[in-house]
Amino acid sequence: MIRKMRRGRLTLCLAFGFITLVIATALLIHTQCLKPSISYYQILEEHIQNHKPITEKRTKYILLYTNFFEDKLWKLPTETVGPDYFRATQCPRTDCVLTSNHDLLPVVTDYDALVFHIAEPWAYSVFRKVPSVRSSRQIFVAATMESPAHTKHLLGGDHDFFNWTMTYRLDSDIVWNYNNFVERDSGRVVRPGKDLQSQMVGHEVVFNQTLLEMATVKTKMGVQFISHCETFSRRDDLVRAIQRFMEVDVYGKCGTMECPRDSPRCAKMLTDEYRYYFAFENSLCKDYVTEKMYYAMQSFIIPVVFGGADYTKFVPPKSYIDAQQFATVQDLVEYLVFLAENPEHYIKYFWWKDHYRIADTQPFCELCQKLHAIGTKEKMQYYKDIKAWWFDEACWMDAKIKF
Ligand SMILES: *[C@@H]1O[C@H](CO)[C@@H](O)[C@H](O)[C@H]1NC(C)=O
Ligand SMILES: *[C@@H]1O[C@H](CO)[C@@H](O)[C@H](O)[C@H]1NC(C)=O
């Protein structure tokens, strides 16, 4: 009886041992023999060999689908520009054709990109609506240099329409800012962004006697050129508040004085007579820094800026005065008066001129480059809700400086 039981247990033990052995062997075979046969390196290696980057030689065609305000040519020299134009603007890629001639290619789906100006209502005739057919590899670009306060095309109807944005905002696919700083020695363009100022430090500021003399002969305080009154930012109210404490001459439609901004006489007046150029934006919007500020910086005058941008992303350190950094108008004016009375401090704002110059931006250059980059990468992108992207948290009603 006992022996029988022992034998039963023995059989059980043997069976259990056998099964364990089988499982262990199977595991061993699996981990040691089978797994290594799935070679990840080999997968990558084969992929690399089979997907050699296609060095796409094909020229990219860009159609300027709408006008840029009244300008059909978008400030280009001719209706159609090609590689010569891109070479002249020193683009890394030159194999692009940019045209406003809708009949350059046989069908609209032949163009690699279509550019739409969203600052104004679609202003084409009934014969030229939004294309009814579109190729899936085509890029529709929403372009504007105006702020959301001046976006007159209603974006609410453009769901799933635009693939790329081309605006002054730094989070655009193609950044179309107003001007750039270029390093004089190297020709290097310093792009706007978080690290702009850190790229511009380390220059020794040398005292310049000529500048001191130029500052000393200035007799007037502030100057402003304005053609749009009653703006979203209430910049005219701010100027009036400043005028209570110091003199500001306002030129243009909303002012009392006249001087065409582009005339050499006006530019000379900025250098010779005035100390501060009020470059106030029409709306307080993220990254919105327009030509006013860059225009002032071409002369020998300190720009006093007012806008929604973080100016440290756009302008060299200590080259401008940001009104939004002051709590009140009195504080701002107090500082402006201090600099006016201390020209040796005033001239420190021009240190950057020895090292940098201001240059135009080339958005189409970047567009051309980017179109070639997607040729080899099958990445699809479009804006589900472009209105939200453009308007949400983009602008502010209230200024930080009280007035
Ligand atoms: C002083 O400033 C003037 C005017 O910007 C400039 O032409 C000149 O080169 C500067 N001189 C020195 C020594 O930096
Ligand atoms: C462009 O956007 C459309 C959606 O509107 C999409 O179907 C298409 O694939 C996109 N193209 C690319 C190249 O991203």
Side-chain angles (χ1 to χ4, degrees):
M1 193 57 173
I2 291 172
R3 194 180 288 166
K4 218 182 217 168
M5 272 176 63
R6 280 230 182 101
R7 197 180 298 150
R9 197 180 291 168
L10 191 68
T11 319
L12 205 68
C13 271
L14 278 175
F16 184 69
F18 181 70
I19 291 168
T20 315
L21 197 70
V22 169
I23 293 174
T25 313
L27 268 174
L28 201 72
I29 290 171
H30 176 73
T31 53
Q32 296 306 311
C33 314
L34 287 178
K35 221 175 174 184
S37 78
I38 307 166
S39 164
Y40 298 107
Y41 289 165
Q42 203 180 330
I43 293 175
L44 177 60
E45 205 178 297
E46 278 170 15
H47 183 89
I48 291 171
Q49 270 160 7
N50 296 338
H51 295 78
K52 293 246 167 63
I54 316 152
T55 36
E56 228 192 309
K57 286 280 190 289
R58 207 176 64 78
T59 300
K60 301 289 178 188
Y61 283 84
I62 304 163
L63 175 62
L64 300 164
Y65 198 82
T66 66
N67 290 356
F68 181 74
F69 295 115
E70 270 84 65
D71 186 8
K72 188 170 179 284
L73 304 188
W74 291 62
K75 300 186 181 157
L76 294 171
T78 51
E79 193 179 60
T80 303
V81 296
D84 284 346
Y85 167 82
F86 288 94
R87 217 166 287 129
T89 51
Q90 294 178 336
C91 290
R93 294 299 301 239
T94 56
D95 35 358
C96 283
V97 170
L98 193 54
T99 188
S100 50
N101 175 6
H102 283 236
D103 300 319
L104 188 72
L105 297 183
V107 278
V108 74
T109 46
D110 288 344
Y111 295 96
D112 297 279
L114 266 56
V115 182
F116 300 82
H117 188 220
I118 60 165
E120 40 182 358
W122 298 138
Y124 18 87
S125 69
V126 283
F127 303 108
R128 194 175 286 164
K129 295 214 180 69
V130 171
S132 53
V133 278
R134 126 179 228 188
S135 140
S136 67
R137 50 158 204 94
Q138 239 175 352
I139 299 292
F140 283 14
V141 184
T144 183
M145 292 185 99
E146 304 299 317
S147 82
H150 292 266
T151 303
K152 300 195 178 92
H153 168 70
L154 300 174
L155 292 167
D158 291 337
H159 285 274
D160 306 332
F161 184 75
F162 291 113
N163 300 90
W164 292 350
T165 50
M166 187 165 112
T167 83
Y168 62 82
R169 240 168 66 186
L170 298 182
D171 57 346
S172 305
D173 298 292
I174 293 143
V175 177
W176 188 11
N177 54 316
Y178 280 77
N179 288 98
N180 281 326
F181 289 90
V182 176
E183 203 169 52
R184 285 187 188 274
D185 290 345
S186 64
R188 184 177 62 97
V189 177
V190 189
R191 302 297 304 263
K194 267 208 311 290
D195 58 347
L196 175 127
Q197 290 202 346
S198 63
Q199 288 184 57
M200 294 179 138
V201 293
H203 295 290
E204 201 186 330
V205 180
V206 287
F207 173 74
N208 187 326
Q209 184 64 36
T210 317
L211 282 190
L212 189 71
E213 280 157 20
M214 285 165 79
T216 314
V217 296
K218 283 176 187 272
T219 52
K220 297 176 180 169
M221 286 296 273
V223 66
Q224 191 184 33
F225 287 82
I226 291 285
S227 54
H228 288 103
C229 329
E230 302 283 313
T231 59
F232 197 70
S233 66
R234 298 198 297 118
R235 66 181 170 199
D236 33 355
D237 290 344
L238 177 56
V239 170
R240 274 192 289 275
I242 293 171
Q243 279 171 328
R244 291 211 310 268
F245 305 102
M246 84 181 221
E247 246 174 80
V248 183
D249 290 344
V250 180
Y251 288 81
K253 263 214 302 262
C254 322
T256 52
M257 298 166 96
E258 212 45 70
C259 193
R261 196 168 72 169
D262 293 328
S263 78
R265 185 172 67 86
C266 289
K268 192 162 166 10
M269 173 180 90
L270 300 185
T271 290
D272 294 348
E273 298 174 28
Y274 290 99
R275 294 190 178 92
Y276 304 105
Y277 186 101
F278 288 171
F280 291 3
E281 302 300 349
N282 60 31
S283 34
L284 306 175
C285 299
K286 179 168 73 176
D287 300 336
Y288 189 54
V289 180
T290 68
E291 78 290 343
K292 282 183 195 309
M293 183 195 71
Y294 298 101
Y295 171 77
M297 293 182 93
Q298 314 266 10
S299 295
F300 173 59
I301 186 166
I302 300 180
V304 177
V305 298
F306 173 64
D310 172 357
Y311 282 85
T312 64
K313 292 179 181 170
F314 292 87
V315 213
K318 192 133 179 149
S319 64
Y320 62 100
I321 294 167
D322 184 354
Q324 298 267 55
Q325 300 291 318
F326 294 84
T328 64
V329 169
Q330 287 98 312
D331 291 350
L332 170 65
V333 172
E334 204 173 289
Y335 186 65
L336 299 182
V337 170
F338 163 79
L339 286 184
E341 289 170 351
N342 295 275
E344 70 282 10
H345 288 294
Y346 179 89
I347 60 171
K348 286 184 183 163
Y349 282 81
F350 303 98
W351 69 270
W352 61 274
K353 284 183 180 258
D354 288 342
H355 309 283
Y356 302 93
R357 60 182 175 81
I358 293 169
D360 288 338
T361 54
Q362 303 295 346
F364 292 121
C365 177
E366 213 181 308
L367 178 59
C368 171
Q369 213 181 334
K370 208 168 150 66
L371 283 171
H372 279 286
I374 57 153
T376 56
K377 289 181 225 150
E378 298 295 322
K379 185 179 160 204
M380 192 183 87
Q381 177 195 311
Y382 59 90
Y383 287 77
K384 272 191 105 50
D385 186 351
I386 187 119
K387 188 177 176 206
W389 181 81
W390 187 234
F391 283 88
D392 287 0
E393 289 157 55
C395 301
W396 298 271
M397 306 267 291
D398 296 317
K400 285 186 206 143
I401 182 170
K402 294 284 157 279
F403 59 95

